[in-house]
């Protein structure tokens, strides 16, 4: 094909972007980049009531966050209404569309009657056959009217880029409305007009648009336009095999950003939601995805959104990043949890990088740097109860004090000297080193598990370690005097 490939992402700014929409953007972008084509952005903001600038901004921000860039200026659909109306008038003039004066009440009555007979409602074309006189009368009374597109008999057929041949009998399509009674164009005509205007060659969107496509093909044809290619992406289902809902995965991108998903992980994960390069590999960077992407790899079946897999992938991306690359992502979580502020962050930068190093192979979400790592900044505020029951028993206070005394003597306080001292103590007392390690971990971190405790102690420093051991003993004195 010599023609330049031009695709578009056309969200409505009526809410935050959700997983399905973002995946549509990713597939379009990959398709454009792979084929050296153009990826365009169209903001479908014709619904004045529900469209909000803040949502438009969110769309821009979300795409930028994911590293999806767009070619050419974004198109705002509301600015093209003149052109939509021009096309509506062309169809009216050529008798491919007609005015309909039927009131909503009358239509509701008609619908009720046909449905009573078990037949799906189709507009019975009452106004198509209106005598000229009657029309003139309605016009002079300024009766509200809509414009309906006249569906001619026949079969509408197209080669879906994903599903293959799709055939629809036009008799199944209603004479749908292309202009409302307030003279505003509807989605169908607006989308078709803009797709032509923007010279879109391939329309790739969710399966939820399958029923729009025959209507739009008929509009393209009626207007004498070349019909673009269409492809419909499988829907995304939750682990419960139900369509994603607010409770199951259909949350906005911002919510994933808030729990600490990295853009690379989100992009990689969504790219594999319904598409596969044909092997078992799962981790791909963007360049590799562009290289491998093909519409042939898109599944016809619904995709399953597995949050555990996203978290696994995120963990892989976190541990493979350099500490300095992670810092700007982790910092907001520490700041949000009031663990540090911006000033301290600047002063303690090298310490922060070490904390990231020690934690990064153990976390799956950036938020966990704050949840599980707060003890690098503050003494534990509480001790994990199950770990307390398990590790703090039988002479525990004495053991912690013995460890305190051994560590206090150390002139050089690093992981090797700490470990040596602890093991010597265990040998001297003839008990296993783990009888010191686990209780000390709990005293120092507040958790039953942590990164290597000798490294943690080295990073915290002698003063903090000794203070925390003592705090634990004091706490036990108070809470469990008999231990
Ligand atoms: N604005 C539509 C939506 O958000 C997209 C329409 C289209 O892709 O044609 O679902």
């Amino acid at each position: 094909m010599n023609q330049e490939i031009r695709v578009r992402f056309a969200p409505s700014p009526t809410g935050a972007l959700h997983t399905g929409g973002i995946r549509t953007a990713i597939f379009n972008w990959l398709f454009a980049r792979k084929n050296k084509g153009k990826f365009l952005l169209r903001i479908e903001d014709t619904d004045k009531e529900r469209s909000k600038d803040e949502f438009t901004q969110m769309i821009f921000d979300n795409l930028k966050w994911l590293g999806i860039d767009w070619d050419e200026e974004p198109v705002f659909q509301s600015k093209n209404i003149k052109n939509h109306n021009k096309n509506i008038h062309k169809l009216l003039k050529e008798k491919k569309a007609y005015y309909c004066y039927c009131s909503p009440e009358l239509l509701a009555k008609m619908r009720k009657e046909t449905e009573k007979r078990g037949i799906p409602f189709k507009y019975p074309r009452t106004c198509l056959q209106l005598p000229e006189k009657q029309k003139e009368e309605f016009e002079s009374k300024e009766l509200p009217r809509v414009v309906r597109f006249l569906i001619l008999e026949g079969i509408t057929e197209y080669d879906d880029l994903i599903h293959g041949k799709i055939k629809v009998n036009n008799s199944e399509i209603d004479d749908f409305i292309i202009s409302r009674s307030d003279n505003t164009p509807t989605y169908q005509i607006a989308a078709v007009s803009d797709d032509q205007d923007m010279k879109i060659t391939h329309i790739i969107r969710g399966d939820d648009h399958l029923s729009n496509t025959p209507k739009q093909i008929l509009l393209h044809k009626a207007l004498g336009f070349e019909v673009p290619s269409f492809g419909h992406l499988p829907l995304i289902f939750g682990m419960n095999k139900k369509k994603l809902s607010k409770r199951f995965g259909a949350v906005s991108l911002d919510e994933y950003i808030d729990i600490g998903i990295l853009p690379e992980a989100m992009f990689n994960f969504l790219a594999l939601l319904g598409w596969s390069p044909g092997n078992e590999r799962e981790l791909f960077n963007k360049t590799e995805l562009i290289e491998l992407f093909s519409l042939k790899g898109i599944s016809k079946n619904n995709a399953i959104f597995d949050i555990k897999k996203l978290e696994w992938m995120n963990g892989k991306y976190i541990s493979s990043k350099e500490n300095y690359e992670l810092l700007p992502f982790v910092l907001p979580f520490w700041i949000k949890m009031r663990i540090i502020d911006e000033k301290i962050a600047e002063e303690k930068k090298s310490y922060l990088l070490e904390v990231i190093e020690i934690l990064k192979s153990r976390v799956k979400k950036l938020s966990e740097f704050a949840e599980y790592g707060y003890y690098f900044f503050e003494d534990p505020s509480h001790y994990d109860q199950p770990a307390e029951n398990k590790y703090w028993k039988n002479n525990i206070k004495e053991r912690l004090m013995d460890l305190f005394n051994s560590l206090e003597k150390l002139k050089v306080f690093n992981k090797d000297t700490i470990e040596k001292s602890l093991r010597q103590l265990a040998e001297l007392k003839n008990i296993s080193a783990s009888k010191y390690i686990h209780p000390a971990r709990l005293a120092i971190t507040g958790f039953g598990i942590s990164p290597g405790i000798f490294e943690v102690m080295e990073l915290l420093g002698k003063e903090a370690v000794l203070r925390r051991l003592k705090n634990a003993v004091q706490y036990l004195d108070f809470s469990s005097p008999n231990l």
Side-chain angles (χ1 to χ4, degrees), residues 8 10-12 44 187 205 209:
R8 72 343 182 241
S12 310
E44 301 211 322
Y187 157 69
R205 55 189 179 185
H209 285 288

Side-chain angles (χ1 to χ4, degrees), residues 327 331 340-352:
L327 185 59
L331 213 46
I340 51 172
D341 59 30
E342 261 137 34
K343 192 165 158 271
I344 297 176
E346 206 35 57
E347 288 165 10
K348 290 187 148 190
K349 199 164 162 189
S350 62
Y351 179 71
L352 301 184

